[in-house]
Amino acid sequence: MTYHVIDAFIQFGFMRRSLVACLALSLSLTPLGVFLLLRRMSLIGDALSHAVLPGVAIGYLCAGMSLLAMGLGGFVAGLLVAMSSSWISNATRLHEDSTFAGLYLGSLALGVTLVSLRSSGVDLLHLLFGSLLAVDNQSLLFIGVIATITILVLAFFYRAIVFESFNAAFFQARSKRFPTLVHAMFMALVVMNLVAGFQILGTLMTVGLMMLPAITARCWTNHLPSTMAIAAITGMVSSFIGLTWSWYQSVPAGPAIVLTATICFLLSIAFGKEKGIFPIYRKQQH
């Protein structure tokens, strides 16, 4: 039975590459999702996933199916939207989610328009919405580099990111420039990982692997390191089960992984030790 489950990964190289890519993304995406959750910015990841579309499309129009060009274009577009949103909210006193909404909707419309400029844009759509066959050695190296950079930066600036996530106002009062740099660096990491995930999951599905394991973990513990560990494990398990489901049931890989993560999320909402419905109900009964 076990051999039958892993048979596809043993026989086919592209399945192994897809699994390794998803495992690497699980290690880098889920901690970012935990910090977004702590900052009450859960939907910002979704907005940024739409914001990278015009940059990816411009990279495709300029250089064809070049991973470097599309990745660089997506990173610049996403970072531009993130920084513009922060600047506009500070200048106008609008809440940041309001400015994000306006900018990402415009970016999404622009991206769809640019995609339609070439009749062969269907190939790009496979990348934007995920394709199990799209992960080659170059893509795997690209994802590995982004995941490694993310983990190292999070480890080096862990205390600053935690401080800025829990008490941004006090951090800002203590230092004028450093909190802004920490916030910009963190948003850059989010954009980088969304761009890294568009090959295997698509830009619209990558945010699912970022946020669902983080919310799942939050249902089980209030301890930050434990939350990050549970989130990473949930992401990796969801990736393995989702890819296996995708292969044997012929469903798209990205949605299969995100649906698996959604099932973990729903089970945690029901039975999670800290935030689950049934444990809270039992405590209230006692």
Side-chain angles (χ1 to χ4, degrees):
M1 179 64 180
T2 303
Y3 177 79
H4 179 71
V5 171
I6 65 174
D7 184 50
F9 299 101
I10 294 175
Q11 293 188 31
F12 301 104
F14 69 87
M15 287 292 291
R16 293 192 295 272
R17 288 192 295 270
S18 298
L19 179 61
V20 171
C22 288
L23 295 179
L25 284 174
S26 297
L27 290 175
S28 62
L29 280 171
T30 53
L32 297 175
V34 171
F35 283 117
L36 284 173
L37 191 63
L38 293 176
R39 294 162 180 249
R40 300 183 185 276
M41 297 172 64
S42 301
L43 293 178
I44 297 300
D46 184 55
L48 286 175
S49 71
H50 293 79
V52 304
L53 288 176
V56 174
I58 290 173
Y60 172 72
L61 292 174
C62 293
M65 299 297 290
S66 168
L67 179 62
L68 178 61
M70 291 188 295
L72 182 60
F75 176 74
V76 172
L79 192 61
L80 182 62
V81 168
M83 295 299 99
S84 298
S85 175
S86 297
W87 179 80
I88 293 172
S89 65
N90 290 330
T92 62
R93 296 184 180 178
L94 284 171
H95 200 276
E96 196 168 358
D97 64 343
S98 301
T99 56
F100 255 116
L103 292 174
Y104 100 77
L105 289 171
S107 297
L108 177 61
L110 177 61
V112 173
T113 302
L114 291 174
V115 166
S116 66
L117 292 180
R118 280 194 180 183
S119 58
S120 59
V122 64
D123 295 326
L124 179 61
L125 290 176
H126 278 295
L127 294 179
L128 294 176
F129 295 98
S131 174
L132 184 63
L133 302 177
V135 181
D136 53 16
N137 290 331
Q138 182 186 11
S139 304
L140 190 60
L141 178 63
F142 178 73
I143 292 171
V145 169
I146 296 298
T148 302
I149 292 173
T150 301
I151 294 171
L152 291 176
V153 171
L154 287 177
F156 190 76
F157 292 99
Y158 178 78
R159 289 175 64 88
I161 294 173
V162 171
F163 208 105
E164 203 260 341
S165 298
F166 279 102
N167 202 340
F170 180 72
F171 200 20
Q172 190 73 37
R174 290 285 301 273
S175 174
K176 295 297 182 182
R177 294 184 178 180
F178 189 58
T180 302
L181 293 175
V182 170
H183 181 74
M185 178 190 64
F186 176 77
M187 297 308 294
L189 290 178
V190 173
V191 174
M192 283 171 54
N193 280 269
L194 290 172
V195 171
F198 78 83
Q199 281 253 24
I200 179 65
L201 298 174
T203 56
L204 303 182
M205 290 288 106
T206 304
V207 68
L209 189 58
M210 177 184 288
M211 295 311 307
L212 286 169
I215 303 171
T216 297
R218 189 68 181 86
C219 293
W220 292 96
T221 179
N222 289 322
H223 188 232
L224 181 57
S226 299
T227 302
M228 296 173 70
I230 294 172
I233 292 171
T234 302
M236 289 189 285
V237 171
S238 298
S239 297
F240 176 76
I241 295 175
L243 282 172
T244 305
W245 179 17
S246 170
W247 174 255
Y248 288 106
Q249 298 298 322
S250 300
V251 297
I257 292 171
V258 173
L259 281 174
T260 304
T262 302
I263 293 173
C264 295
F265 159 71
L266 293 175
L267 290 173
S268 299
I269 287 292
F271 303 106
K273 180 181 177 182
E274 292 295 334
K275 306 290 184 182
I277 295 173
F278 293 114
I280 290 176
Y281 177 75
R282 284 198 298 269
K283 289 178 182 178
Q284 291 173 344
Q285 290 296 102
H286 287 304

